[in-house]
Structure formats: structure tokens, C-alpha cells
Amino acid sequence: MIALLKRQEADVAIEEMRSRFSGHMTAFEQKLSAYDESKFVWTRDSFQAFVSRLGEAQKLALELLVTKRSISDEDMRDALKVSGNQALAGVLSGISKQAAALNIPPRSIFSFENLRNAGKRRSTYTVANGFLEIASNMNWPGPQLHSPE
């Protein structure tokens, strides 16, 4: 009788552990899939939550991407009034960090391509189609508060 009770207790404990493990795996898979931009779909709520977390320089960088579709690192630095690519990287990494905090894949916002020309590295930043679409649907950035030129 005691052996049967101990067996049942062990079975219950094992089942509880399996259930907890399964819950952790599900949560992990959800977080992992958030970085697969092919599975991410922008919603009005996710867009508003994301934009509300951004600083002014980050918003301006995204305004430039939305209005110009694609922009060089040089033009982006000039518009943001930052001195070099390291400072620009700080602004752009801030966008990516805010996205990651909301489980938004950074590549669902913008992508970049690095090129070399005459020994100089140049980057081109391009807005993601999904971000462009939701920004347009949300009438964002709306009336330009900043001059992108």
C-alpha cells in the first residue's frame, strides 16, 4: 500500500515537472520565433507600443526611413546631426533594443547593407515593407515635425 502511494506521488511529481517544462519550452519557442521576421506581423497595437518606446533621435531615424524608403549612412548622420558611424550605430541599436524588448524582430523594421567603395565602408539602410505598410496605415509620421532634408 505504501509503495503504491509513493508511486502515485512520484507520478504526480513527474507530471508536474513535464507540465512546467512544456510551459517553459512553449515560452522559449514563442520568444525564438519572434526573431523570425517571416512570421512577424505588425498590428496597430504592436506599432504603437514600439513607437512609444523610442527616443527622439530613434523616431527621426525611422521617419527618414519611412519617407525616403532607403538612405545612406552619410545622409542619415547628416539628418540626425551625429558625427560618425559609431554614434549612428548607437541610435540604430537603440531601435533594435526597443524592438527586442517587445519581441519584434529588428529586421521587420529595417535592414542594412554594407558596401566598400574606394576603401571606404558605406552603409545603406532600407525600411522593411511590413513596417512601411503599418506606418502608412497609421498615418505615421504624419505631419513632419522634423525636416528630413
Side-chain angles (χ1 to χ4, degrees):
M1 182 73 162
I2 293 175
L4 180 61
L5 287 174
K6 286 191 177 199
R7 176 70 181 166
Q8 288 174 338
E9 288 174 357
D11 288 344
V12 167
I14 290 170
E15 190 55 39
E16 286 175 357
M17 290 175 72
R18 282 185 183 144
S19 178
R20 268 192 301 236
F21 178 77
S22 176
H24 291 303
M25 282 303 295
T26 300
F28 174 74
E29 288 168 355
Q30 287 173 340
K31 285 189 177 196
L32 189 61
S33 72
Y35 289 93
D36 182 355
E37 58 268 14
S38 69
K39 294 181 181 176
F40 182 78
V41 177
W42 283 101
T43 64
R44 295 177 75 79
D45 289 341
S46 63
F47 180 83
Q48 288 173 330
F50 170 66
V51 171
S52 72
R53 296 175 66 98
L54 300 176
E56 287 305 310
Q58 295 163 341
K59 285 180 185 175
L60 178 55
L62 289 179
E63 287 175 12
L64 289 164
L65 283 167
V66 167
T67 56
K68 294 184 175 279
R69 311 296 195 263
S70 186
I71 188 169
S72 70
D73 58 345
E74 188 174 357
D75 290 341
M76 179 90 74
R77 285 194 318 268
D78 289 345
L80 295 175
K81 297 177 177 47
V82 295
S83 59
N85 277 345
Q86 189 170 7
L88 177 58
V91 173
L92 299 176
S93 71
I95 293 170
S96 296
K97 286 179 184 177
Q98 293 303 327
L102 296 172
N103 295 323
I104 298 170
R107 295 297 159 256
S108 68
I109 302 164
F110 70 92
S111 62
F112 64 94
E113 181 178 15
N114 293 322
L115 306 168
R116 287 214 173 264
N117 187 6
K120 287 188 174 186
R121 187 184 69 113
R122 292 287 172 230
S123 298
T124 301
Y125 301 93
T126 305
V127 68
N129 289 334
F131 188 81
L132 183 61
E133 184 178 322
I134 190 70
S136 175
N137 290 343
M138 298 291 290
N139 195 30
W140 190 88
Q144 287 293 322
L145 300 176
H146 306 94
S147 173
E149 300 300 322

